[in-house]
Amino acid sequence: MSTIDSANPPQVRLLVDRYLKVKFRHENLSETELTAEGDKSPGVLLASGYIAGGAITGIVIAAKEMVGPFAAIGHRIEEWQMAHNPFLSGPYADLLALIPFFLISLLLYLVGRDLLLASRQRG
């Protein structure tokens, strides 16, 4: 079972398989070779980086809360944000949080479709 099978519904896998077959139709690859090509794409690498970055951020936030001096600094930062950032908690706080989510999702889509940061083809 591949990573995409365990993380997404079967419909997503069908769309990805169809895209890969169209993308590599001129190379006459087997199913195993198609899977290998999909697993080493820049989009997969970027998504793996997102996952690793989220894990590291979670560790840093947990350490900040558990270590005394860092926790005090964290509370001061939160107090400053509450006083100076109108978007931290208000009617538009959720909307503001969607902006970076949309941007990184768009970046992942563009990289995954080889429209941005595409690797050079060797001739």
Side-chain angles (χ1 to χ4, degrees), residues 33-75:
E33 292 169 328
L34 277 173
T35 303
E37 285 297 325
D39 287 346
K40 66 180 182 181
S41 73
V44 171
L45 295 174
L46 182 61
S48 298
Y50 284 172
I51 293 167
I56 292 169
T57 301
I59 292 168
V60 168
I61 290 171
K64 177 191 72 97
E65 292 298 319
M66 294 173 25
V67 177
F70 294 135
I73 292 170
H75 291 299

Side-chain angles (χ1 to χ4, degrees), residues 85-96:
N85 187 353
F87 296 109
L88 185 65
S89 61
Y92 300 109
D94 292 337
L95 181 63
L96 186 66

Side-chain angles (χ1 to χ4, degrees), residues 118-122:
S119 58
R120 294 182 185 171
Q121 299 293 329
R122 294 182 182 148

Side-chain angles (χ1 to χ4, degrees), residues 27-38:
E27 296 185 24
N28 199 16
L29 300 175
S30 69
E31 290 296 320
T32 305
E33 292 169 328
L34 277 173
T35 303
E37 285 297 325

